[in-house]
Amino acid sequence: MKSPHKVLSVAPLFFLLTFHTLAFPAQDDQPGTRPSNGHICIGCVVVVSVIEQLAQVHNSTAQASMERLCSYLPEQLFLKSTCYLVVSMFGPDIIKLLSADMNADVVCHTLEFCKQDAGQPLCHLYPLPKAPWEFTLEKARQMVKRSPTLKYSRSDSDICSLPFLVKICQKIKLAIENSVPFKDVDSDKYSIFPTLRGYHWRGRDCNDSDGTVYPGRRPDDWDIHQDSNCNGIWGVDPKDGIPYEKKFCEGSQPRGIILLGDSAGAHFRISPEWITASQMALKSFFNLPTALTNELNWPQLSGATGFLNGYSRIKENSLYLRLRERNHCNHRDYQNLSKNGASSQNLKKFIESLSRNQLLDHPAIVIYAMIGNDVCNGRRDPVPEMTTPEQLYSKVTETLKFLNSHLPNGSHVFLSGLPDGTFLWDNLHDRYHPLGQLNEDVTYDQFYTFLSCLQVSPCHGWMSSNKTLRTLTSQRAEQLSDTLKKIATSQRFTNFNLFYVDFDFQEITKEWQRRGGQPWQLIEPVDGFHPNEVALLLLADRFWNKVQRQWPEVLGKENPFNPQIKQVFGDQGGH
Ligand SMILES: *[C@@H]1O[C@H](CO)[C@@H](O)[C@H](O)[C@H]1NC(C)=O
Ligand SMILES: *[C@@H]1O[C@H](CO)[C@@H](O)[C@H](O)[C@H]1NC(C)=O
Ligand SMILES: *[C@@H]1O[C@H](CO)[C@@H](O)[C@H](O)[C@H]1NC(C)=O
Ligand SMILES: *[C@@H]1O[C@H](CO)[C@@H](O)[C@H](O)[C@H]1NC(C)=O
Ligand SMILES: CC(=O)N[C@H]1CO[C@H](CO)[C@@H](O)[C@@H]1O
């Protein structure tokens, strides 16, 4: 299966993230989610670029800038010590090469983190050196000739198999396993732990020792004795003896929200602060450990299920927060079943983790948003790998049957169309990538070409200078959207109503421009692919308004008791 997004996740701090991948084998048992040679190559190029640029920014030696980089990293997950370890192994060679004005491409090929396989093109991020490539590389090799690091063969893509790293890999793995309830990571339980697919992904469980207590269920005995649905409303009003849950929530038709999404739904993101030398400081990496344990996703900020205030400071709220705002009885009833690399074709693997009891739980609004991976992959020729309309039709029908047998009656399901990703190239190709801003030497065109060359592009079809290919990709996306539309208008299910909504990036771009913004500001700068937080929130806004206009019954009524709930229960226990 294609799992394009692991890709960039391995890019910035390749060695650290390799450990991360190693530590989570159970979540992704498909091969190919381990970093490939291509991932390691990008990782090396990014790290060496950062070292080089830090030296430039601070007018320091490469040695000092490596130490600076390690000193910025947090201690958690062994990040700092791993950094020092790797520096002690490769530092001397990197210093030699950088001081001879070799760029990151040359350094990484010399150290064999990047390789040009026979008959394959040479993959490079920066413009090629003026001297012929073979000549430059040979010269560089001579410089590090007797260096011990070259003794290790890097033919194996798993960096943890390098002899001097085996031990620390094991240690890190153990540390991660022991510090969190690792066994629960893939179960359908709700959790009191924020990451490792805990409550950043679903509403927080309010009593971990009782399996009948979880967000979204109909209250048990009106929650007289305990908060069985975790919405923060329970107990009895001493004034009249009526249970609060009955008084405030009965007849308010509570409902939850469930997102079936891909990395966009999960809100995949690599912070530009992690790779931008000119702004790098101690605080740049504070959020890295949390991000790593969330597979580099930020569901707590995402458009559908987010509940924290993010970095964007725009006023729009996630769909979950709006549903909660409309009826406080919906508090904590969200599930984010989004996964990097998810598509119509592999959704089956994880949809089983959907947690809704048809008899005991409230209805749900389910949003099916596989917006990229059915047309996006990193193959040299991506077209044959794309999902066909027939394949889509059959898989989505299966998914809907599954939902019909798991969702409480009265639920609603939305199929989201695919975007037309040509806006990526149109808005970014001649802009500088964060790695190219300091010296104005890497555009997104170059960055995309580098990723495709290494066959690790999250979406070769749209992240390409080949216009024919971009057009083909858009055509397929449109056919798939039409198929979803057809399904929504022709199929009927007993337990939910089915709707289709467009994924209209053009509309939100216009909205953003009306507010004085630029289209490129809606895309994650590091990967040049994912919609960012602003885009996700604008999309959520559009979705909400459309539903409110066309199908208001989906959202339910405003609960007139909201002010009383707030008065008695405050923030209802928070999130
Ligand atoms: C950079 O450092 C070198 C040697 O330490 C010094 O000679 C030079 O003036 C410095 N350049 C700047 C721009 O500070
Ligand atoms: C959690 O559930 C257990 C078992 O049902 C119960 O004994 C305990 O009182 C509950 N705790 C809270 C805080 O409600
Ligand atoms: C679902 O609920 C609707 C009314 O809301 C009812 O007409 C229908 O019979 C119910 N379906 C099932 C399978 O219970
Ligand atoms: C552009 O993409 C099309 C479709 O995949 C392909 O047939 C064509 O060879 C490509 N052109 C170039 C110059 O690579
Ligand atoms: C699709 C997806 O990623 N689902 C995840 C939801 O969260 C649970 C754990 O809480 C994971 O097991 C699922 O894989």
Side-chain angles (χ1 to χ4, degrees):
M1 105 88 234
K2 359 174 192 177
S3 88
H5 302 300
K6 248 353 191 212
V7 181
L8 289 161
S9 72
V10 202
L13 295 150
F14 67 113
F15 41 93
L16 312 170
L17 300 193
T18 307
F19 295 139
H20 162 68
T21 315
L22 170 113
F24 297 89
Q27 283 190 338
D28 264 321
D29 45 7
Q30 322 95 0
T33 51
R34 282 195 172 241
S36 70
N37 288 329
H39 305 141
I40 297 210
C41 174
I42 301 176
C44 177
V45 170
V46 173
V47 172
V48 173
S49 302
V50 169
I51 293 170
E52 193 183 359
Q53 294 181 14
L54 275 175
Q56 188 185 341
V57 169
H58 297 278
N59 191 25
S60 69
T61 61
Q63 169 82 36
S65 101
M66 281 192 260
E67 279 163 16
R68 185 185 294 271
L69 177 60
C70 292
S71 78
Y72 289 159
L73 288 171
E75 307 272 359
Q76 290 113 300
L77 304 180
F78 289 84
L79 291 171
K80 196 196 282 287
S81 35
T82 311
C83 184
Y84 283 118
L85 183 84
V86 173
V87 162
S88 70
M89 290 313 304
F90 302 106
D93 289 343
I94 296 177
I95 291 166
K96 264 189 235 161
L97 295 167
L98 287 182
S99 35
D101 272 344
M102 305 286 180
N103 72 17
D105 290 316
V106 181
V107 172
C108 293
H109 276 89
T110 309
L111 299 180
E112 293 179 26
F113 286 112
C114 299
K115 278 199 203 127
Q116 182 179 10
D117 292 325
Q120 299 299 323
L122 170 70
C123 304
H124 59 96
L125 180 62
Y126 295 90
L128 285 175
K130 288 201 185 65
W133 177 256
E134 291 308 329
F135 174 80
T136 309
L137 195 58
E138 191 45 44
K139 195 168 129 201
R141 284 192 179 127
Q142 293 297 330
M143 295 175 63
V144 297
K145 203 165 169 196
R146 263 173 298 278
S147 156
T149 58
L150 288 186
K151 280 206 304 252
Y152 303 107
S153 149
R154 288 183 205 99
S155 56
D156 192 321
S157 68
D158 180 2
I159 203 167
C160 280
S161 67
L162 297 183
F164 59 93
L165 288 181
V166 169
K167 264 218 177 98
I168 192 156
C169 283
Q170 282 167 352
K171 261 189 175 168
I172 292 172
K173 197 176 157 187
L174 260 179
I176 293 177
E177 279 179 5
N178 291 336
S179 63
V180 294
F182 197 66
K183 299 289 173 296
D184 275 354
V185 163
D186 246 322
S187 76
D188 67 355
K189 292 229 199 73
Y190 294 80
S191 171
I192 53 167
F193 289 88
T195 54
L196 288 166
R197 299 213 158 240
Y199 73 72
H200 282 173
W201 296 86
R202 300 167 185 250
R204 177 175 5 200
D205 196 337
C206 50
N207 188 345
D208 226 22
S209 57
D210 188 338
T212 66
V213 169
Y214 55 86
R217 61 162 292 162
R218 295 178 199 272
D220 176 26
D221 199 12
W222 290 115
D223 284 2
I224 292 173
H225 301 295
Q226 74 160 333
D227 187 10
S228 68
N229 54 15
C230 301
N231 67 1
I233 302 169
W234 64 289
V236 175
D237 187 342
K239 288 204 281 295
D240 50 21
I242 301 176
Y244 284 117
E245 179 86 35
K246 184 170 168 61
K247 197 178 219 177
F248 295 153
C249 300
E250 188 177 28
S252 76
Q253 302 182 333
R255 63 202 66 204
I257 183 154
I258 301 176
L259 177 69
L260 300 174
D262 51 23
S263 56
H267 191 13
F268 180 93
R269 166 160 213 266
I270 296 174
S271 276
E273 289 81 36
W274 301 340
I275 66 163
T276 309
S278 60
Q279 289 155 29
M280 199 172 278
L282 208 49
K283 62 174 187 354
S284 305
F285 293 99
F286 80 96
N287 50 6
L288 180 62
T290 313
L292 287 180
T293 42
N294 263 341
E295 303 165 35
L296 286 175
N297 293 315
W298 308 68
Q300 66 276 29
L301 305 177
S302 76
T305 60
F307 60 85
L308 296 180
N309 284 325
Y311 48 86
S312 68
R313 280 183 227 96
I314 70 168
K315 64 179 196 324
E316 275 73 13
N317 266 334
S318 74
L319 299 177
Y320 160 68
L321 283 177
R322 289 176 201 222
L323 268 183
R324 182 193 181 280
E325 200 46 45
R326 200 173 184 86
N327 179 0
H328 288 358
C329 299
N330 296 333
H331 183 70
R332 285 197 190 149
D333 193 359
Y334 64 89
Q335 295 182 41
N336 185 354
L337 309 188
S338 298
K339 199 160 183 67
N340 294 342
S343 74
S344 69
Q345 304 301 298
N346 62 33
L347 174 61
K348 199 173 180 335
K349 280 198 186 139
F350 63 86
I351 199 173
E352 320 257 314
S353 70
L354 179 130
S355 167
R356 210 75 185 173
N357 185 305
Q358 279 186 303
L359 301 175
L360 292 179
D361 298 353
H362 289 302
I365 301 170
V366 176
I367 303 178
Y368 171 99
M370 303 289 145
I371 62 165
N373 297 315
D374 284 295
V375 293
C376 287
N377 64 75
R379 297 297 161 85
R380 205 148 267 152
D381 182 2
V383 181
E385 285 290 310
M386 294 177 186
T387 305
T388 63
E390 294 72 31
Q391 287 166 337
L392 185 79
Y393 190 95
S394 107
K395 289 288 181 187
V396 171
T397 304
E398 258 176 54
T399 299
L400 293 173
K401 281 185 185 147
F402 176 92
L403 289 175
N404 196 44
S405 63
H406 285 76
L407 293 175
N409 189 15
S411 293
H412 303 276
V413 175
F414 287 84
L415 300 177
S416 163
L418 284 75
D420 175 359
T422 47
F423 63 83
L424 295 172
W425 174 265
D426 294 345
N427 291 314
L428 290 181
H429 75 276
D430 55 357
R431 299 189 56 82
Y432 292 114
H433 185 268
L435 284 176
Q437 279 163 13
L438 186 62
N439 298 311
E440 307 197 335
D441 53 0
V442 180
T443 59
Y444 281 94
D445 182 0
Q446 283 159 268
F447 176 69
Y448 288 171
T449 306
F450 183 52
L451 295 185
S452 299
C453 178
L454 293 169
Q455 301 196 63
V456 297
S457 174
C459 196
H460 184 181
W462 276 321
M463 296 157 78
S464 164
S465 57
N466 182 335
K467 182 152 197 235
T468 315
L469 180 58
R470 297 200 305 270
T471 307
L472 269 176
T473 309
S474 294
Q475 282 167 353
R476 179 63 63 85
E478 202 181 327
Q479 289 167 354
L480 296 183
S481 295
D482 287 343
T483 305
L484 292 170
K485 210 179 293 176
K486 192 169 99 193
I487 293 173
T489 49
S490 65
Q491 300 194 18
R492 289 284 167 273
F493 296 87
T494 49
N495 287 322
F496 58 81
N497 295 318
L498 185 59
F499 308 91
Y500 169 86
V501 281
D502 277 320
F503 185 108
D504 207 338
F505 211 87
Q506 270 175 345
E507 280 306 310
I508 66 145
T509 306
K510 276 192 212 141
E511 169 61 26
W512 185 237
Q513 284 172 315
R514 265 197 293 278
R515 298 183 190 192
Q518 298 290 324
W520 58 266
Q521 293 167 326
L522 297 172
I523 302 162
E524 278 298 332
V526 175
D527 60 47
F529 175 61
H530 289 97
N532 67 10
E533 187 191 335
V534 174
L536 292 173
L537 289 174
L538 290 175
L539 284 162
D541 185 51
R542 229 186 120 64
F543 176 83
W544 181 271
N545 292 335
K546 185 180 168 97
V547 174
Q548 199 165 25
R549 244 188 351 260
Q550 299 191 5
W551 310 291
E553 72 280 6
V554 170
L555 304 176
K557 291 173 298 204
E558 187 98 24
N559 186 344
F561 292 104
N562 284 340
Q564 280 97 318
I565 294 174
K566 186 152 187 210
Q567 199 184 2
V568 180
F569 296 102
D571 74 352
Q572 295 168 262
H575 285 98

